[in-house]
Amino acid sequence: MVAGTETAPLPPRLRRRPARIALLVTAFVCAACGLVYELSLVTLGSYLLGDTAAQASITLSVMVFAMGIGALAAKPLRRHAAAAFVAVELILALLGGLSVVMLYAAYAWLNIYTTALIVIASILGILVGAEIPLLMELLQRIRKQEPGSAVADLFAADYVGALLGGLAFPFLLLPVFGQIRGSLIVGVVNAAAGLALVFLLFRTELRPRARWGFGALTALVAATLFGSYFYADRFEATAQQALFAHPIVLHERTRYQNIVLTESISPFGTPDTRLFLNGDLQFSSVDEYRYHEALVHPTLAGPRRDVLVLGGGDGLALREILRYPDVETITLVELDPEMIRLARTDARLTALNRNAFDDPRVRVVNEDAFSWLRGSPGAYDAVLVDLPDPDQTSIAKLYSKEFYAMAAHVLAPGGTLAVQSGSPFFAPRSYWCIANTIRAAGLRTLPYHVDVPSFGDWGFVLATRDTEPRLRLDPPAPLRSLDEATLAAAAVFAPDRRDTGAPVSTLMHPVIVDLELREWRR
């Protein structure tokens, strides 16, 4: 204790061992809550913006820096450690519990997400950083001990609590309660832990007026958090709708992604159903046939007895493949089983994919495509890579040289691979990065592009291992958007949209994500 600092005399009961245990348990709980706040901010950013690495770096670096500021700021408060700790925990509970709500609102309505993230992470970091010095002061008031021993006890409780928070967030709070309600619950726990410690063990250090003031503040924080909990669904639905131009008819947050279906009437008077995964448009029912015909039919112009589809959980590529009666087996590898369930059961999707998953030739594998390919699952005459755009770090491996090398390994002699590759018009460096990465994996490539009004100019890469790839068609019936003349034009690129010399993307150097984000934001 600082020389000259006066504190209230400690009641005899506080000299007992249980008091120290109670304080260390409080440190344990507060550390768990603090880590949950950090993980909530990182996860929300990855859902809304992609680029998980950047979101984690910004959030963690800002919070750790702010924690240092908070620790320094707490030094003058040590004389009134009990009152300061209650105040810190109540403010932290309120702001931490509402942090996801505030950031989601900043993204949906104000378009100032990054600025809001830095401000909120800074405030939370300052408050979390102030906890340890104040708890250290209270611990010494219970029983004087060597500074090194006190630090060891407190930091042990803090680190173990962080482990609890780190495990509880992905395995309990996120899947059971969701991000908004999970953060609100943690806020309540945070406030309860701080209040219980001070009001049960250090009540005599608070003046009556302070006790009444903290009681009123507690009631306000509790009312705000509980009210937000009950209105969480309504807030989330309103905020989500602000992000989409058309009415949302289905929303599901699965273990892997956020699935949204919207529905409206197109300018042509027909229903327009749109699928969004983590905010990115996957298809519009008005023109999705243009995309899927361009992906599937040039690939199946050659051998096609056994077909592999990586991604494509909506079943629309399956619909096109099943038009070929000589296709014997189709293996579809889709990570998210909930996407498959929707594609099998949702009336809007089954009308579009024509109940493709009910065909006995189709086998669904719910695994990560990268991990599944590592098992050398066999040889396929045609491989279709229909994966989401690489705007998240977690997807970068599916656009890497290593991934395409494994895909080439499962190609049967004479087989053909096709990869959806983004827009050569809006994101040319990203598009040519994919083409060059496929080539670096040992395949011969033929880039091509078609017009899909919902996306604009959209590109693909056709690749083979044994012979030079050729754009040709051999469908069992005429197609709606493709013919030989259209396909011949698809291989021609304007001078300012030709190969930019983009680098190859690998597991250890995933340049594709950075290129994708920079070009689309530009």
Side-chain angles (χ1 to χ4, degrees), residues 86 90 94 195 199 208-224:
V86 174
L90 287 176
L94 181 64
L195 286 169
F199 276 78
R209 182 178 298 178
R211 290 198 292 267
W212 280 103
F214 282 129
L217 183 58
T218 300
L220 178 61
V221 170
T224 303

Side-chain angles (χ1 to χ4, degrees), residues 112-294:
I112 55 169
Y113 180 85
T114 302
T115 301
L117 171 64
I118 293 173
V119 171
I120 291 175
S122 298
I123 296 173
L124 292 181
I126 290 172
L127 294 170
V128 171
E131 289 178 324
I132 292 296
L134 296 176
L135 284 170
M136 183 69 70
E137 177 70 20
L138 295 176
L139 183 64
Q140 291 289 64
R141 292 184 187 181
I142 292 175
R143 191 190 71 190
K144 295 284 290 184
Q145 62 184 121
E146 291 294 326
S149 176
V151 169
D153 290 344
L154 200 56
F155 274 86
D158 187 79
Y159 293 149
V160 175
L163 173 65
L164 174 67
L167 295 177
F169 179 74
F171 298 114
L172 174 63
L173 295 171
L174 195 58
V176 176
F177 300 102
Q179 275 213 274
I180 294 178
R181 283 189 168 139
S183 297
L184 293 169
I185 289 173
V186 171
V188 172
V189 172
N190 202 163
L195 286 169
L197 175 69
V198 173
F199 276 78
L200 293 179
L201 300 182
F202 297 94
R203 181 182 178 87
T204 56
E205 294 195 18
L206 299 178
R207 295 178 180 178
R209 182 178 298 178
R211 290 198 292 267
W212 280 103
F214 282 129
L217 183 58
T218 300
L220 178 61
V221 170
T224 303
L225 294 177
F226 281 112
S228 300
Y229 184 93
F230 290 112
Y231 282 93
D233 288 341
R234 183 178 299 180
F235 167 81
E236 187 173 5
T238 304
Q240 282 181 340
Q241 189 59 73
L243 301 175
F244 297 94
H246 302 141
I248 296 174
V249 294
L250 181 144
H251 167 232
E252 288 194 15
R253 187 182 297 279
T254 74
R255 178 182 175 186
Y256 303 103
Q257 59 194 345
N258 194 32
I259 303 175
V260 171
L261 280 177
T262 68
E263 196 166 56
S264 63
I265 301 298
S266 74
F268 307 103
T270 57
D272 183 3
T273 300
R274 299 189 173 210
L275 171 67
F276 296 84
L277 299 181
N278 289 338
D280 293 332
L281 177 65
Q282 304 302 304
F283 71 76
S284 164
S285 62
V286 173
D287 55 22
E288 55 79 16
Y289 66 91
R290 292 175 175 267
Y291 169 92
H292 291 99
E293 286 185 355

Side-chain angles (χ1 to χ4, degrees), residues 474-493:
D474 183 28
L479 304 177
R480 296 175 65 183
S481 65
L482 278 187
D483 54 31
E484 294 290 348
T486 304
L487 208 55
V492 179
F493 290 83

